[in-house]
Amino acid sequence: MNRRIVVCLVLMMMALSALADEKKSAIAPNSSFDKMKALNGAWVGTLNEGGKQIPVTSRFQMVSDGSVLMSWLGEGTPEEMITVFHMDGHDFMATHYCAMHNQPRMVAAPDNDPNRVVFKFKDGTNIGPSDGHMEQVAFIFYGPDHHIEEWTFLDNGKLTTAKFDFQRKK
């Protein structure tokens, strides 16, 4: 009796493993996602706001069996925001959990520059017709230890871009 149970459990585990491998292979490879994965780690930098350099931090971490890249901007501060990057079939997506209490979803747009990954607004939650929200974010790569993030906010038809300049924390 116990032997039958063990055999059944082993067969079920093998079937689940095969299903998981099949699901992993259904996710399309994406060079932009691969580039973003290289951000894994801690970053320090500045935000230029009105000519003043404000210190900022960022952290990226791969989670969920390497299928998701999480990003924290201003971790531990009242303005802390999280962005989750993942594949959705062939689309490379970013969901931004904003301090504005909304969650814009953006999809990576084609770009001819291999050192840029640009996400453009697709839709979101808790965003009314006149609510401000992140409209776009661009990541510009200057090697493995330096990148820039340009976050573009749309409010009442006006676009404002904040530029963050990050160096990998040593």
Side-chain angles (χ1 to χ4, degrees), residues 5-51:
I5 291 172
V6 169
V7 168
C8 285
L9 287 173
V10 168
L11 289 174
M12 284 185 349
M13 289 175 63
M14 289 172 56
L16 288 173
S17 177
L19 285 173
D21 288 343
E22 183 179 314
K23 181 66 176 170
K24 284 181 190 175
S25 66
I27 298 172
N30 185 285
S31 61
S32 293
F33 192 22
D34 291 340
K35 182 164 277 302
M36 292 291 294
K37 288 176 184 179
L39 293 173
N40 196 45
W43 298 81
V44 293
T46 56
L47 164 65
N48 185 334
E49 191 171 273

Side-chain angles (χ1 to χ4, degrees), residues 2 7 19 49 54 65 75-76 85 97 113 121-122 133 144:
N2 286 340
V7 168
L19 285 173
E49 191 171 273
I54 299 169
D65 191 36
E75 187 173 18
F85 303 91
Y97 296 86
D113 184 344
F121 183 79
K122 177 181 179 176
H133 64 273

Side-chain angles (χ1 to χ4, degrees), residues 56-119:
V56 291
T57 62
S58 182
R59 180 170 66 91
F60 292 82
Q61 182 177 341
M62 293 301 302
V63 297
S64 301
D65 191 36
S67 66
V68 173
L69 177 64
M70 287 189 65
S71 168
W72 290 261
L73 184 58
E75 187 173 18
T77 69
E79 297 81 26
E80 177 181 63
M81 293 179 274
I82 295 173
T83 305
V84 178
F85 303 91
H86 64 91
M87 294 302 299
D88 182 12
H90 291 284
D91 291 332
F92 182 28
M93 302 292 300
T95 303
H96 178 67
Y97 296 86
C98 192
M100 296 294 296
H101 299 211
N102 58 34
Q103 301 78 35
R105 290 185 341 130
M106 297 172 271
V107 63
D111 196 305
N112 292 331
D113 184 344
N115 294 315
R116 285 176 57 94
V117 178
V118 179
F119 294 88

Side-chain angles (χ1 to χ4, degrees), residues 143-157:
D145 297 326
H146 182 209
H147 79 277
I148 293 198
E149 299 178 20
E150 295 175 339
W151 289 86
T152 301
F153 189 76
L154 175 65
D155 192 22
N156 292 320

